[in-house]
C-alpha cells in the first residue's frame, strides 16, 4: 500500500541540493572503497553466561525466532552468522555532539560479513528534518543496493548497545519486513562475549553503502533505479505524522510517551540541536529510553520492562493504545521495542518528533522554557 504522505509526482519533480555533509560522505566512501583487506581481531575469552535474548540455535531458520521478540542474542547470531539468507547490518549513528564517525568506526571494527546501513543516507530527501523515513520506492531501492531480499532475515546492531539499531528495526517493519531483529547489546555485547570482529571494511561493503545512498538520491530526482530486489508493503499504522499527534491531543485515543531525558522533557536542559526549544508536547509523558536496559545495555526482561513503564510512565496503562516520540524519531523506537517485548507489537512512532513539533511556531508546548 502506498503511503498517503509520499506523493510519487512530487518525488519525481523534487531535486536534492548536494550538501557539504553529502560530499563529505561521498569522499569518505571513495576513500574507503580501496580498503579490501579484512582480518580477524584477537579473540577474547568467551563469557559463559548467554546474553539476554534468544538462545543458541543449531541451525539457522527465521522461523526459529519469533517476530514477537525484537532481539536476538550474541550467541545466536554467532551460531548463524554465515547463513546465506541472514543479512547483518551495522546501523551505528551518533548524536552530533558526540563527534563520532560511524563509517570510520565500521571500518575499524565490525561483526564479520556485515554491511553498513547509513541512517542519514537512507532517508527522505525532501525535508530538512534529519533522517526522516524515506518513501517506499526509495527504501526499496536502498535495500536492493545493499543486496537485501524479502526472503532474508535481518539483524541490526550499533556501536552503543541498543540505540540507532532500533530505528532501523522500526523502518523495516514500517515497510512490511517482519523478519528483522536487533542484536541485544549491540557491538559492545558481541565483543564482550569473546567473538571476532573485522577491521578494514571490504571494498564491496563500502561500495554497497554508497550505492544505497545514491540510489535513494536518484529516486528523489525521478530517475529509474534497477534492479529492485526488495519489495515494500507500507504499514501506515506504525508511523505518525504531525497532524495525527495534533488530533490525538484532542481525542486522547493514544497515550503519548516521550523517550527523551527528563530534563529536556521538562524544559530545564537544552536540546542538543541548536535553535530548538526544550519542553514537551502537551499530554505526553516521559519515559527516558535508558529505562529499557540493564547495566550491560541489553533489553530488560518483560516483567522488569512492565515495571519501568508503569513506574516511570506515571500512570501508563499497558492495556490502552500507546504511541512514542523523542527528539528526531530514533530513541522513540527503543520504547517501541520494549513495548514489543510486552506484546504491544503495533506501537506507532511520531517520525518528526520534538524537532518537527518545536519548530512549528503555532503549536503548543509545555515545560520550563528555560532553554532555546
Amino acid at each position: 500500500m502506498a503511503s498517503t504522505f509520499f506523493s510519487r509526482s512530487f518525488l519525481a519533480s523534487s531535486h536534492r541540493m548536494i550538501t557539504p555533509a553529502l560530499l563529505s560522505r561521498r569522499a569518505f566512501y571513495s576513500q574507503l572503497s580501496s580498503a579490501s583487506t579484512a582480518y580477524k581481531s584477537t579473540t577474547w575469552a568467551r563469557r559463559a553466561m548467554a546474553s539476554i535474548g534468544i538462545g543458541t540455535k543449531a541451525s539457522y531458520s527465521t522461523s526459529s525466532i519469533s517476530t514477537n521478540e525484537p532481539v536476538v542474542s550474541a550467541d545466536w547470531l554467532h551460531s548463524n552468522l554465515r547463513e546465506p539468507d541472514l543479512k547483518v547490518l551495522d546501523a551505528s549513528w551518533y548524536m552530533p555532539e558526540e563527534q563520532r564517525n560511524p563509517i570510520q568506526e565500521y571500518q575499524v571494527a565490525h561483526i564479520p560479513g556485515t554491511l553498513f546501513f547509513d541512517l542519514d543516507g537512507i532517508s527522505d530527501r525532501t525535508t530538512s528534518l534529519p533522517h526522516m523515513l524515506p518513501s517506499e520506492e526509495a527504501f526499496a531501492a536502498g535495500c536492493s543496493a545493499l543486496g537485501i531480499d524479502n526472503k532474508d532475515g535481518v539483524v541490526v546492531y550499533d556501536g552503543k548497545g541498543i540505540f540507532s539499531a532500533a530505528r532501523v528495526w522500526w523502518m523495516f517493519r514500517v515497510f512490511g519486513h517482519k523478519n528483522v531483529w536487533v542484536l541485544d547489546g549491540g557491538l559492545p555485547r558481541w565483543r564482550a562475549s569473546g567473538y571476532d570482529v573485522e577491521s578494514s571494511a571490504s571494498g564491496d561493503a563500502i561500495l554497497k553503502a554508497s550505492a544505497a545512498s545514491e540510489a535513494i538520491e536518484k529516486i528523489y530526482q525521478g530517475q529509474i533505479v534497477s534492479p529492485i530486489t526488495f519489495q515494500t508493503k507500507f504499514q501506515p499504522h506504525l508511523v505518525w505524522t504531525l497532524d495525527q499527534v495534533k488530533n490525538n491531543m484532542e481525542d486522547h485515543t493514544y497515550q503519548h510517551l516521550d523517550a527523551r531525558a527528563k530534563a529536556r522533557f521538562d524544559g530545564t536542559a537544552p536540546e542538543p540541536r541548536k535553535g530548538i526549544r526544550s519542553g514537551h508536547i502537551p499530554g505526553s509523558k516521559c519515559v527516558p529510553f535508558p529505562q529499557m536496559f540493564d547495566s550491560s545495555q541489553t533489553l530488560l526482561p518483560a516483567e522488569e520492562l512492565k515495571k519501568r513503564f508503569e513506574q516511570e510512565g506515571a500512570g501508563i496503562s499497558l492495556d490502552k493504545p500507546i504511541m512514542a516520540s523523542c527528539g528526531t524519531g530514533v530513541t522513540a523506537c527503543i520504547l517501541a521495542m520494549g513495548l514489543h517485548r510486552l506484546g504491544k507489537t503495533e506501537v506507532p512512532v511520531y517520525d518528526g518528533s520534538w524537532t518537527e513539533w518545536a519548530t512549528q511556531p503555532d503549536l503548543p508546548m509545555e515545560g520550563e522554557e528555560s532553554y532555546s
Side-chain angles (χ1 to χ4, degrees), residues 69-83:
E69 174 59 50
V71 299
V72 295
S73 70
D75 290 339
W76 184 93
L77 181 59
H78 182 259
S79 295
N80 297 285
L81 188 60
R82 299 300 182 182
E83 295 297 330

Side-chain angles (χ1 to χ4, degrees), residues 29-330:
Y29 280 135
S30 177
Q31 176 186 355
L32 293 186
S33 64
S34 61
S36 58
T37 303
Y39 61 89
K40 291 183 177 180
S41 68
T42 302
T43 303
W44 292 268
R46 178 177 173 179
R47 283 186 172 184
M49 184 76 70
S51 67
I52 294 174
I54 301 302
T56 303
K57 301 291 181 181
S59 61
Y60 170 74
S61 170
T62 55
S63 64
S64 71
I65 321 173
S66 171
T67 54
N68 289 330
E69 174 59 50
V71 299
V72 295
S73 70
D75 290 339
W76 184 93
L77 181 59
H78 182 259
S79 295
N80 297 285
L81 188 60
R82 299 300 182 182
E83 295 297 330
D85 291 343
L86 181 67
K87 297 297 194 300
V88 184
L89 307 179
D90 182 331
S92 298
W93 177 89
Y94 304 104
M95 294 294 291
E97 68 271 15
E98 294 182 83
Q99 297 184 342
R100 294 178 64 175
N101 187 312
I103 303 174
Q104 288 180 336
E105 292 189 17
Y106 170 83
Q107 186 194 21
V108 171
H110 59 272
I111 294 174
T114 62
L115 298 166
F116 183 78
F117 188 102
D118 186 348
L119 190 59
D120 286 326
I122 302 179
S123 64
D124 184 5
R125 304 301 175 84
T126 68
T127 176
S128 61
L129 295 171
H131 46 253
M132 290 294 96
L133 196 70
S135 69
E136 287 189 80
E137 295 92 338
F139 190 78
C143 288
S144 298
L146 287 172
I148 300 171
D149 297 319
N150 293 91
K151 70 180 187 304
D152 292 332
V154 177
V155 174
V156 193
Y157 75 89
D158 61 58
K160 296 188 75 170
I162 297 179
F163 187 63
S164 52
R167 168 76 182 190
V168 177
W169 168 82
W170 172 78
M171 291 171 70
F172 272 93
R173 295 185 66 248
V174 166
F175 291 116
H177 192 78
K178 294 183 178 180
N179 290 335
V180 57
W181 299 269
V182 168
L183 175 60
D184 205 8
L187 186 61
R189 183 72 177 195
W190 175 269
R191 299 184 76 160
S193 298
Y195 297 133
D196 293 330
V197 296
E198 286 181 340
S199 299
S200 296
S202 70
D204 180 63
I206 294 300
L207 288 174
K208 283 182 176 178
S210 179
S213 182
E214 291 176 0
I216 287 174
E217 187 172 345
K218 287 180 180 179
I219 291 291
Y220 278 95
Q221 292 176 346
Q223 301 178 34
I224 301 298
V225 174
S226 64
I228 299 297
T229 59
F230 187 89
Q231 304 298 320
T232 59
K233 187 178 180 181
F234 183 62
Q235 307 293 307
H237 63 285
L238 292 179
V239 54
W240 271 26
T241 64
L242 184 146
D243 285 340
Q244 287 173 291
V245 179
K246 289 170 64 176
N247 292 337
N248 191 63
M249 286 177 56
E250 302 295 328
D251 57 36
H252 305 288
T253 303
Y254 282 72
Q255 301 166 97
H256 182 169
L257 304 189
D258 189 321
R260 291 175 300 150
K262 189 66 162 57
R264 290 168 59 189
F265 180 88
D266 290 338
T268 59
E271 287 293 302
R273 297 180 183 276
K274 294 181 179 180
I276 298 177
R277 189 172 62 177
S278 58
H280 61 269
I281 297 171
S284 60
K285 297 179 179 180
C286 184
V287 182
F289 75 89
Q291 296 293 330
M292 301 296 100
F293 307 138
D294 63 14
S295 59
S296 64
Q297 296 298 299
T298 55
L299 195 63
L300 287 169
E303 285 303 312
E304 289 299 317
L305 286 171
K306 188 173 184 292
K307 292 178 183 178
R308 297 294 175 91
F309 279 112
E310 292 175 344
Q311 295 170 2
E312 300 294 332
I316 291 296
S317 172
L318 295 175
D319 296 326
K320 297 179 180 179
I322 297 174
M323 56 81 62
S325 70
C326 55
T328 62
V330 174

